[in-house]
Amino acid sequence: MESILDCTGHELKVPNIVRSDGVYLFDADGKRYVDLESGVWCTALGHKNRRINGVIKDQVDRIIHVGFCYSSEIVDKAAKSLLTIGNFNNGKCVFLSSGSEAIEILRQISRVLSVKEQKTLTHP
């Protein structure tokens, strides 16, 4: 792993994972490990999940990405599903790519809400 910059402070414990299955990872010697970091790389639902992989493959064949200036029905469908699961009947979703983006939008929302609250308190 000469080309990987070790800047996270985490010790590299298993340098060569070669395959996965469900919650398990396997190294080049066939040793099996439970993947306790799967959420770090967005695989919290397991490796090689046939149903999820099939949906991903189908979607990749259609369109892999939509941005902020254009969208797709699949994005609206995903938003509706998340709002239903979270019981936010009249809510709206924002899809972001990173924790930094999430922090930034929450900062902006809190600023707007703070200003609205101040106006409500000073102008009944």
Side-chain angles (χ1 to χ4, degrees):
M1 299 296 148
E2 297 172 11
S3 300
I4 308 280
L5 177 62
D6 180 17
C7 62
T8 64
H10 298 284
E11 176 187 347
L12 183 62
K13 297 181 186 212
V14 186
N16 193 18
I17 296 297
V18 295
R19 69 182 184 90
S20 61
D21 190 11
V23 298
Y24 299 107
L25 302 171
F26 298 86
D27 67 14
D29 297 324
K31 185 173 179 183
R32 183 176 76 170
Y33 302 85
V34 174
D35 183 1
L36 299 175
E37 290 190 348
S38 61
V40 173
W41 302 112
C42 303
T43 56
L45 299 176
H47 300 276
K48 291 174 55 176
N49 183 309
R50 288 184 183 156
R51 181 174 168 265
I52 292 170
N53 288 0
V55 170
I56 291 169
K57 288 174 187 174
D58 289 345
Q59 187 59 46
V60 166
D61 285 340
R62 282 189 228 117
I63 186 167
I64 197 166
H65 177 275
V66 294
F68 295 112
C69 298
Y70 50 92
S71 194
S72 169
E73 286 185 21
I74 192 76
V75 176
D76 191 52
K77 185 177 177 182
K80 286 177 183 175
S81 294
L82 290 170
L83 293 168
T84 299
I85 290 167
N87 201 26
F88 292 107
N89 299 325
N90 296 315
K92 300 278 184 180
C93 283
V94 176
F95 293 103
L96 304 168
S97 299
S98 69
S100 298
E101 287 177 324
I103 297 291
E104 176 60 20
I105 198 163
L106 288 174
R107 186 190 65 75
Q108 292 176 22
I109 290 169
S110 65
R111 179 189 285 165
V112 169
L113 292 176
S114 176
V115 168
K116 284 183 178 183
E117 184 177 331
Q118 288 174 4
K119 285 182 180 179
T120 301
L121 293 174
T122 57
H123 302 290

